Amino acid sequence: MPVTTAPRQGAGVKVLKGVLGFAGRTWLVAGFLALWEVVTRAVNETYFPPPTTIVKTLHELWFSGSASHLFLTEDAVDDFSTSLAHLFIGWAAAGALGVVIGAAIGRSRTMNDLFDPVLQFLRAVPPPTLVPFFIMVFQLGATMQIVTIAFGVVWPVLLNTADGVRTVDSLQLETARVFGIGPVRRLLTIVLPAAAPKIFAGLRVALSFALILMVISELFGSTAGIGSELIGAQRTFELPRMWAGIVMLGILGFLFNAVFMLLERRLLAWHAGAQRLAS
């Protein structure tokens, strides 16, 4: 009997600690929302609706659909599918391009010396300023929006990858050469795994930037998407609807970061274990 009770007690303590930890992290948010509600109702300012009004508008706009459609409205399906498709396609393209170019530059001093000035110049150009240029080249539409996102978010991945592959232990590479392992296999089995923590850090930063650029790209001539919903609400002075879009973007950003960090911990668990063994 004691053998079966101990694990149950341990699981109960773990759950209790998890609940207390979650409550400790969210009390400030709950307090801020309560204060926002009280102040906005007392001031009664049109430009700052109370949170309850924003949540009600958010529900009516995107989450008042039927249960068969996961409570999503038609507007939600159109806006979310459009925005998230552009975001993830642009982010994935930038991630792949950033890893390839970053690895090449990080492992070759010649390529680094040749391309670094150009890359530093392009990195310094704010992506929103290039939106008019992208509109001229690609016209209004999905391609322009994806290119805007990809151009703006490739830099954290590229620079982190280049920095990560430069810091690979030279002893490992020399040992691989001695055993006759070719350059491609060294890259795939030694260099990129060693640089994986920095690559993932760059991808996480890029995902946050992608959300911002998704909205910016949808402010120009788009008829669907969260950014289009925002600019439409602003033009018609439907302020609760505008705030609902802002809150939705905040929720998406929080969820993206949480899910990415969870995946990062799972995928890089081997790296943390290797570091513990090495220390």
Side-chain angles (χ1 to χ4, degrees):
M1 189 70 175
V3 175
T4 57
T5 305
R8 290 178 182 174
Q9 289 177 344
V13 171
K14 185 178 290 187
V15 171
L16 180 60
K17 286 183 177 179
V19 171
L20 292 176
F22 179 78
R25 290 192 298 270
T26 57
W27 71 268
L28 185 60
V29 177
F32 172 74
L33 291 175
L35 181 63
W36 184 359
E37 181 77 22
V38 171
V39 171
T40 50
R41 289 197 176 276
V43 175
N44 195 23
E45 172 58 57
T46 306
Y47 291 102
F48 297 98
T52 50
T53 302
I54 296 172
V55 170
K56 180 181 177 182
T57 305
L58 188 68
H59 174 263
E60 293 174 350
L61 185 61
W62 284 313
F63 299 105
S64 58
S66 62
S68 61
H69 290 81
L70 301 177
F71 302 102
L72 295 175
T73 62
E74 291 184 5
D75 287 338
V77 174
D78 290 340
D79 291 338
F80 293 163
S81 61
T82 301
S83 293
L84 297 185
H86 296 163
L87 185 151
F88 285 117
I89 292 173
W91 177 68
L97 192 63
V99 169
V100 171
I101 298 177
I105 291 175
R107 297 308 302 168
S108 172
R109 183 178 295 276
T110 302
M111 290 190 66
N112 180 70
D113 294 340
L114 184 62
F115 291 108
D116 185 67
V118 177
L119 293 176
Q120 293 299 332
F121 171 78
L122 292 175
R123 183 174 71 92
V125 177
T129 62
L130 290 175
V131 170
F133 170 74
F134 291 146
I135 291 175
M136 287 191 300
V137 175
F138 301 104
Q139 306 300 317
L140 290 172
T143 303
M144 181 276 292
Q145 294 165 4
I146 292 171
V147 170
T148 301
I149 294 170
F151 177 84
V153 305
V154 70
W155 309 110
V157 184
L158 191 156
L159 296 176
N160 273 35
T161 301
D163 187 52
V165 300
R166 287 192 195 103
T167 59
V168 177
D169 188 0
S170 59
L171 180 61
Q172 292 182 348
L173 296 175
E174 290 298 328
T175 304
R177 286 194 190 94
V178 169
F179 281 95
I181 298 176
V184 175
R185 190 177 173 189
R186 286 201 303 270
L187 176 68
L188 296 178
T189 60
I190 299 176
V191 176
L192 290 181
K198 289 197 174 185
I199 294 174
F200 272 84
L203 287 170
R204 181 150 62 92
V205 173
L207 186 57
S208 300
F209 287 166
L211 185 64
I212 298 170
L213 291 171
M214 176 199 77
V215 177
I216 293 174
S217 66
E218 290 177 345
L219 297 179
F220 299 90
S222 179
T223 58
I226 302 174
S228 175
E229 186 67 36
L230 270 173
I231 196 67
Q234 182 263 329
R235 286 171 179 167
T236 56
F237 290 94
E238 296 181 69
L239 298 178
R241 200 172 118 214
M242 184 187 74
W243 276 98
I246 295 172
V247 170
M248 191 69 244
L249 289 170
I251 293 172
L252 288 175
F254 174 81
L255 291 177
F256 290 163
N257 186 67
V259 171
F260 189 90
M261 289 185 68
L262 180 63
L263 291 174
E264 183 179 4
R265 281 198 294 267
R266 293 290 181 89
L267 295 175
L268 295 183
W270 63 270
H271 190 273
Q275 283 187 322
R276 284 195 295 269
L277 289 174
S279 60

